[in-house]
Amino acid sequence: MADSRINELNEMVEVHLQKAKKENDPIEVARAFYYKILTEEPERALVYSDSMIEITENSIHPNYPTLGYILKANVFYDQGKFQHALDNFLKAYNLALEKENIEDQREISLAIAAIRNINGQHYAAADLYKRSLNLLKQKLSSTEGYYDDYATLFYNLSLTYLRLSQLDTSKYYVQKGIELARLEQKKEDFKDFVLVDAQINFYKRDFKRAKDTLLKYINDFKGTSKAIKLYYLGKIEKHNGNEKVATAYFKTIDSIVSSTEDPFDEVKDVYQQLIISSILEDDEKEQIDYIEKLIYYDSVLSSEHENITNQAVVAYDIPDLKRQKLKAENQLKTKNLYVALIATLAALAVLTGLYFYIRSRKMKARLKLLMEGSEIEEEKSRIITEHPSSVPEEIRKDILEKLAVFESSERFMSKDLDMYGLAQQMGTNTTYLSTVINHYKQMSFPTYIKDLKIKAAINQLSKNSDLLKYNYQGLAEVFGFKTGESFSKAFYKKTGVYPSKFLNELKSR
């Protein structure tokens, strides 16, 4: 039945498409492509997306070619290709700004925020959710008729700030959501907000209120949603000293996750608790089973998130756990596993804490240098005793003089600048220019240009407070980067400081 309906839809779309082509109506052709994209396999959907973009490229229509980029980004997102999805969402967002389409801006902002959240960029996600909320408020004087939009934003903001441990801000958006759901008599949404509130109460150490709420609704959930609620109940019982009850909750979570194959971030803590419990019960077989699951699910979560923190986990924690598992298997008959495992876990905790402490100290030191106006990672000062023989002396001197003039100008801010263009401006060729930059600047041409842009960014941001109002994409436009992401990466690579920390420090001063 479903197949016949899809066939009927395809036939209707094909008639629509042929009629639109005959009448030479690009917008109607694009609308036909829209349905094609929704029903085709990803590879074909991407082809139709590109076609939609191409035929509406110069359209004055408020939704085109923006919609083409949105649909293309959605295909990449569903495939888990988040970088490609982000690139297309950013193109769509810039078009929505250009066409002053607030609805598209809001929709795209939510999609970009979701990608940032997936990659552990919670601060950036919160910024985008707030921007989307402000756009909604600009358009509407009340929530009437737009309940779903407001409820979704309040919920996402509350969860994002909960991940950032900003509990008061999370509480604010939860209360807004509870009030809105109560006003609109949305019982399911009300329950969702109340349960986020229970998580906030847990972290605020109001364990009784958190437990009462969780127990009230726990039977309404199944699968992963239920497992997350059980996790908080288990942690509360553990805090109250009820180890057996806590372990029972954690074992139920293990059963759910083993069945659904859908782990969540806290599942790593669940298996760590079960490993310790199995040690105390002197059950080596169960211990090995839990270690294997911890290794497996940690690997799954790491590959999904692909953020810096999880990379550190993959590089350090997982190999250590594998060694720990092997040791447990070798000591299965000797019953000496208890002391060895506790020592390993203690060492792991100390080393992990030390790692984050050292990284935090380094970041603060670099930030302090930036705020004092000092350069970071400048080229090593050295006397050049050897010169590239492949470049004649007169040409070499001429290029170095012109590079000095170039560095004092703002020509390097151009997005489209490449080595060929710069060589043309300097009256030389790319081979000579590349050799001089590599030898005397000790870096490649792309790195050389990015470094110049970041130095200019640090200087101008420190002096011009108006620039602090810009988001990453806006700063990318000012300083000659194609995307906000590329600006952020270049800034961190040059300075060792996240641009968000630098901007926040400037704002606070």
Side-chain angles (χ1 to χ4, degrees):
M1 186 70 175
D3 289 340
S4 64
R5 288 181 179 176
I6 291 174
N7 290 333
E8 288 177 12
L9 175 62
N10 287 335
E11 289 175 5
M12 292 172 62
V13 171
E14 192 60 35
V15 171
H16 184 177
L17 178 59
Q18 295 306 320
K19 183 175 183 294
K21 285 182 176 179
K22 187 175 180 179
E23 294 174 355
N24 196 26
D25 188 337
I27 296 300
E28 288 304 318
V29 172
R31 285 173 179 156
F33 285 156
Y34 170 80
Y35 292 105
K36 291 277 191 183
I37 294 165
L38 295 183
T39 57
E40 291 284 355
E41 292 297 315
E43 291 74 15
R44 293 290 300 161
L46 289 173
V47 172
Y48 280 118
S49 299
D50 286 331
S51 298
M52 178 188 284
I53 293 166
E54 184 179 353
I55 65 172
T56 60
E57 184 176 6
N58 299 316
S59 173
I60 60 173
H61 193 285
N63 299 115
Y64 295 94
T66 314
L67 181 59
Y69 285 110
I70 292 174
L71 293 171
K72 187 175 181 180
N74 285 337
V75 175
F76 281 129
Y77 184 94
D78 291 340
Q79 292 180 312
K81 298 177 180 178
F82 298 119
Q83 185 59 58
H84 291 308
L86 183 60
D87 290 342
N88 282 280
F89 276 130
L90 288 171
K91 290 176 184 176
Y93 187 75
N94 287 332
L95 283 168
L97 287 174
E98 183 182 314
K99 292 175 180 285
E100 298 181 353
N101 189 324
I102 293 177
E103 190 65 29
D104 277 352
Q105 291 174 40
R106 192 164 54 80
E107 179 186 342
I108 297 163
S109 292
L110 289 174
I112 293 174
I115 293 174
R116 300 219 179 231
N117 250 342
I118 288 170
N119 287 276
Q121 300 171 353
H122 304 311
Y123 282 106
D127 179 62
L128 288 169
Y129 285 136
K130 285 170 64 179
R131 189 187 310 165
S132 184
L133 182 61
N134 290 334
L135 286 170
L136 193 61
K137 289 178 179 178
Q138 288 173 20
K139 181 179 179 181
L140 308 165
S141 57
S142 71
T143 61
E144 186 176 353
Y146 282 83
Y147 167 81
D148 288 339
D149 300 270
Y150 275 101
T152 299
L153 284 167
F154 289 151
Y155 188 76
N156 287 337
L157 280 164
S158 64
L159 281 178
T160 302
Y161 280 110
L162 180 61
R163 292 188 186 105
L164 291 169
S165 299
Q166 295 185 20
L167 302 182
D168 290 338
T169 306
S170 179
K171 190 88 167 179
Y172 169 79
Y173 286 111
V174 161
Q175 292 302 323
K176 298 285 284 186
I178 288 174
E179 292 168 11
L180 185 59
R182 184 184 285 125
L183 180 66
E184 297 288 335
Q185 297 183 343
K186 302 284 188 178
K187 293 182 180 179
E188 288 301 312
D189 291 349
F190 176 82
K191 179 172 64 178
D192 289 339
F193 281 112
V194 167
L195 286 165
V196 176
D197 189 53
Q199 294 179 52
I200 297 170
N201 289 332
F202 170 83
Y203 288 112
K204 285 196 167 192
R205 305 185 71 77
D206 190 348
F207 298 122
K208 185 180 185 307
R209 284 184 63 189
K211 179 179 177 180
D212 290 344
T213 303
L214 290 164
L215 288 174
K216 181 178 180 181
Y217 294 108
I218 190 67
N219 292 326
D220 294 345
F221 293 91
K222 296 179 180 179
T224 304
S225 296
K226 184 172 185 176
I228 293 172
K229 312 302 182 290
L230 290 170
Y231 168 76
Y232 288 102
L233 285 170
K235 294 293 283 187
I236 290 169
E237 294 300 340
K238 188 169 182 65
H239 175 268
N240 292 336
N242 301 323
E243 294 290 343
K244 289 186 177 179
V245 179
T247 300
Y249 279 130
F250 294 142
K251 287 186 175 182
T252 304
I253 295 170
D254 169 46
S255 299
I256 293 172
V257 174
S258 298
S259 173
T260 62
E261 288 288 321
D262 183 21
F264 51 98
D265 284 341
E266 291 80 4
V267 83
K268 291 181 285 186
D269 185 35
V270 170
Y271 284 114
Q272 287 169 351
Q273 298 297 331
L274 289 172
I275 289 169
I276 293 173
S277 174
S278 63
I279 293 170
L280 296 175
E281 293 174 5
D282 207 23
D283 189 335
E284 288 87 353
K285 289 183 179 179
E286 194 173 68
Q287 178 194 347
I288 291 169
D289 180 50
Y290 291 141
I291 290 175
E292 287 178 339
K293 289 180 178 179
L294 176 54
I295 292 171
Y296 172 71
Y297 289 123
D298 194 289
S299 176
V300 170
L301 288 168
S302 296
S303 63
E304 286 177 352
H305 294 326
E306 295 179 352
N307 58 39
I308 295 172
T309 303
N310 283 336
Q311 290 294 332
V313 171
V314 170
Y316 180 81
D317 289 8
I318 300 306
D320 187 78
L321 283 169
K322 288 179 178 177
R323 290 191 296 269
Q324 180 181 313
K325 173 177 174 277
L326 180 61
K327 184 180 288 187
E329 290 172 336
N330 292 336
Q331 295 180 343
L332 184 59
K333 295 179 180 180
T334 63
K335 306 294 184 179
N336 290 328
L337 185 60
Y338 177 75
V339 174
L341 186 59
I342 291 299
T344 304
L345 289 174
L348 176 61
V350 171
L351 289 172
T352 302
L354 185 60
Y355 165 77
F356 284 108
Y357 173 75
I358 293 172
R359 190 176 73 168
S360 175
R361 288 290 300 272
K362 286 183 178 178
M363 184 80 74
K364 287 179 181 179
R366 290 171 180 146
L367 181 60
K368 183 179 179 182
L369 286 174
L370 276 183
M371 300 308 299
E372 291 173 351
S374 301
E375 294 289 355
I376 294 179
E377 294 184 4
E378 274 296 330
E379 301 86 349
K380 295 179 181 178
S381 58
R382 62 188 183 90
I383 299 174
I384 304 295
T385 57
E386 296 181 2
H387 303 285
S389 58
S390 60
V391 183
E393 183 178 358
E394 289 186 5
I395 294 176
R396 167 172 48 83
K397 289 182 178 179
D398 181 61
I399 292 174
L400 286 172
E401 289 173 1
K402 288 178 178 177
L403 282 176
V405 174
F406 170 72
E407 291 169 7
S408 64
S409 71
E410 292 191 352
R411 284 183 291 158
F412 54 79
M413 293 288 198
S414 171
K415 287 183 185 179
D416 302 319
L417 180 67
D418 57 18
M419 187 182 295
Y420 176 78
L422 184 58
Q424 288 286 94
Q425 293 175 29
M426 293 185 172
T428 185
N429 58 53
T430 56
T431 301
Y432 286 163
L433 180 59
S434 176
T435 300
V436 169
I437 290 174
N438 287 334
H439 186 84
Y440 292 98
K441 304 298 179 180
Q442 294 291 291
M443 63 184 77
S444 67
F445 177 80
T447 302
Y448 170 63
I449 296 299
K450 286 178 186 176
D451 277 14
L452 289 176
K453 290 178 179 180
I454 295 303
K455 289 178 188 176
I458 294 169
N459 183 44
Q460 292 185 32
L461 286 167
S462 301
K463 295 177 180 178
N464 186 354
S465 59
D466 288 339
L467 291 174
L468 302 181
K469 301 173 185 176
Y470 287 39
N471 58 25
Y472 282 178
Q473 186 59 35
L475 293 175
E477 292 291 332
V478 172
F479 298 116
F481 289 89
K482 291 185 178 179
T483 67
E485 193 77 10
S486 60
F487 167 74
S488 177
K489 287 181 178 178
F491 192 98
Y492 180 77
K493 185 175 181 180
K494 171 66 178 170
T495 65
V497 174
Y498 293 115
S500 58
K501 291 187 176 293
F502 180 58
L503 293 172
N504 287 338
E505 187 70 18
L506 287 173
K507 290 174 184 176
S508 68
R509 295 194 179 190

